[in-house]
Amino acid sequence: MNTESRLCRKALTSLTDHLLSPAWRDPDIGIVHLGIGNFHRAHQAIYTEEAVAGAGGEWGICGVTLQGDVAKRDALAAQEGLYSVVERGPDAERVTVVRILREVLALPYDRAALFARLADPRVRIVSLTVTEKGYCRDGKTGDVDFGHPDIIHDLAHPAEPKTVPGILVAALRERRDNPFTVLSCDNLMHNGAALRQVTCSFANAIDPALGEWIATAVAFPSTMVDRIVPATSDSDRVSAATALAHADALPVPCEPFRQWVIEDCFPAGRPEWELAGAQLVSDVAPFELAKLRMLNGTHSALAYLSMLAGFETIDAAIREPDMHRLIHSMMTYEIIPTLAMPASFDTLAYRDALLSRYANPALKHRCAQIAMDGSQKIPQRLLGAIATRIEAGQPFARLALAIAAWMVFLRGHADDGSHYEIKDPLADRLTSLVAAAGPLPEKRLNALLSMREIFPAELAENLVFQHAVTDALVAIGHGARSAIAQYAR
Ligand code: CS2
């Protein structure tokens, strides 16, 4: 085995069994993707490669790292954009090589190249996976957060933007004759409309006519994206090298399951993603809500409880019988009743499929990865369901336990005393509020509920909500494992 040799296009002739799409001609670039992380490479990139393999079209992808990750850019460039996907099923592993990525750029270093791409009329879609915090959104208004330091920077230097709204507005200004479609692929409710609002509010602050034009002339379809994609580990590099007999510095691990539901609104055209199994629909909202609450909501619940109880990965956590019962009941009794799904959608089958996906022992999805950025995730994933339960006068103790687990998680150590880092754009404020409040449940609760960018006033001031979370905080005070057992009953 010659794993000294890097994956490259010349090597592909010896890799025919591993090519995602054997019939292939390299397409020109038609998509710029902001946020070239593992999720994009195991999700939209694969759908696009399969669509192009089946129906053609110049839909090659230019991937952009917004964090100046030059090492990633250079590693992918050294492999001519090729990378492998290591699909880890419970019983089998499959390694394939993806070819759709044609170029990788790193901001701020490749600013000129990026804006040249964005000005090119052949680029008809700009898609994004930048996580919740990448939207720089004011949680209270839904507009761009005018107090965000990077937004302040971008408003002062609109030709040198750092943020997503800044980049989109600078690029769209040059595309008045032929705007590209902007495609959010992040886990936000109404992600297309949310992105339109931050983009337009940013544009309005620079040039109201431009804001008005973007609001009416640019399409921002919504999507629901789903695939569990952990961070790359050494074992993924070993799997790729063993299967391919070539070294891949950046393989992506993922589960076999994937789903993409897309609002079909692409005035400038799109790849035939349906050939790869995507569902093109007129209304994504019910799918987004079900996925955000059922999957992401329970993922966050599992992550915070596990960080306290000492389960390192999701599969280890869900194999614990009390945890399984708790998450099963959270979905069945507290989340499913908040959804309004089309009659053809079997919510109980969806629940069972999620529980089996979590139990996949091959994936090793680390709870610490999911626990990141709680301040951005919790409103999207948990608070909406809780508000609906309160409105309906229905109990939500298990969802309250998830909120309480996050509040305790912020103290920075597990029940056994081992420390972990809080990674969150609001980490400094959150950890100082928690430290100043001390361990008493009521004080911790009041301190955190004061954060309006997370908890809207109506919820924060609701006594039913306060009592449910306080009870859960008291239960966790006796240890997360005992709280899990108590709430699983
Ligand atoms: C996870 C998601 O990291 C997280 O917060 O909940 O990335 C999740 O794995 C994906 O949304 C699955 O589609």
Side-chain angles (χ1 to χ4, degrees), residues 39 132 187 225-229 255 291 295-297 299-300 357 365 369-372 377 381:
F39 186 76
E132 298 83 347
N187 291 318
V225 292
D226 190 8
R227 186 168 221 181
I228 296 178
V229 184
E255 63 173 339
K291 193 261 175 173
L295 193 163
N296 298 112
H299 242 182
S300 290
R357 289 167 65 195
H365 196 191
Q369 186 184 343
I370 301 167
M372 277 171 52
K377 292 175 174 175
R381 299 173 173 207

Side-chain angles (χ1 to χ4, degrees), residues 252-263:
V252 188
C254 62
E255 63 173 339
F257 179 89
R258 67 182 197 199
Q259 189 181 11
W260 197 8
V261 187
I262 310 170
E263 183 187 351

Side-chain angles (χ1 to χ4, degrees), residues 5-38:
S5 79
R6 271 286 184 106
L7 198 53
C8 63
R9 289 192 185 243
K10 224 167 65 207
L12 293 182
T13 44
S14 66
L15 293 178
T16 43
D17 291 348
H18 293 284
L19 296 177
L20 180 62
S21 322
W24 187 254
R25 175 188 69 75
D26 285 337
D28 287 343
I29 289 172
I31 298 176
V32 170
H33 183 80
L34 306 179
I36 181 77
N38 277 9

Side-chain angles (χ1 to χ4, degrees), residues 77-223:
Q79 298 177 183
E80 300 173 293
L82 301 176
Y83 63 89
S84 49
V85 170
V86 182
E87 210 175 274
R88 297 194 180 282
D91 313 307
E93 160 181 316
R94 179 170 157 247
V95 178
T96 47
V97 176
V98 180
R99 283 174 282 187
I100 194 73
L101 186 61
R102 307 285 291 132
E103 177 178 59
V104 181
L105 302 175
L107 265 193
Y109 309 102
D110 302 319
R111 189 181 301 285
L114 172 61
F115 280 97
R117 278 280 167 228
L118 292 170
D120 182 343
R122 288 173 299 178
V123 167
R124 284 164 290 156
I125 295 176
V126 174
S127 54
L128 295 81
T129 46
V130 293
T131 78
E132 298 83 347
K133 60 179 177 275
Y135 289 71
C136 306
R137 188 160 174 258
D138 178 337
K140 281 168 273 178
T141 62
D143 283 349
V144 77
D145 177 359
F146 289 104
H148 191 299
D150 291 342
I151 294 294
I152 294 172
H153 168 277
D154 285 7
L155 287 171
H157 309 279
E160 286 173 16
K162 297 177 177 182
T163 66
V164 165
I167 293 168
L168 291 175
V169 169
L172 284 166
R173 187 189 268 282
E174 306 303 319
R175 295 287 300 261
R176 287 219 185 206
D177 295 335
N178 52 7
F180 48 74
T181 297
V182 187
L183 181 62
S184 166
C185 299
D186 282 297
N187 291 318
L188 294 175
M189 196 51 207
H190 306 301
N191 52 10
L195 181 55
R196 170 187 278 125
Q197 191 176 345
V198 289
T199 308
C200 292
S201 53
F202 181 92
N204 284 334
I206 297 180
D207 171 357
L210 180 63
E212 176 66 29
W213 173 77
I214 294 175
T216 51
V218 180
F220 288 82
S222 280
T223 59

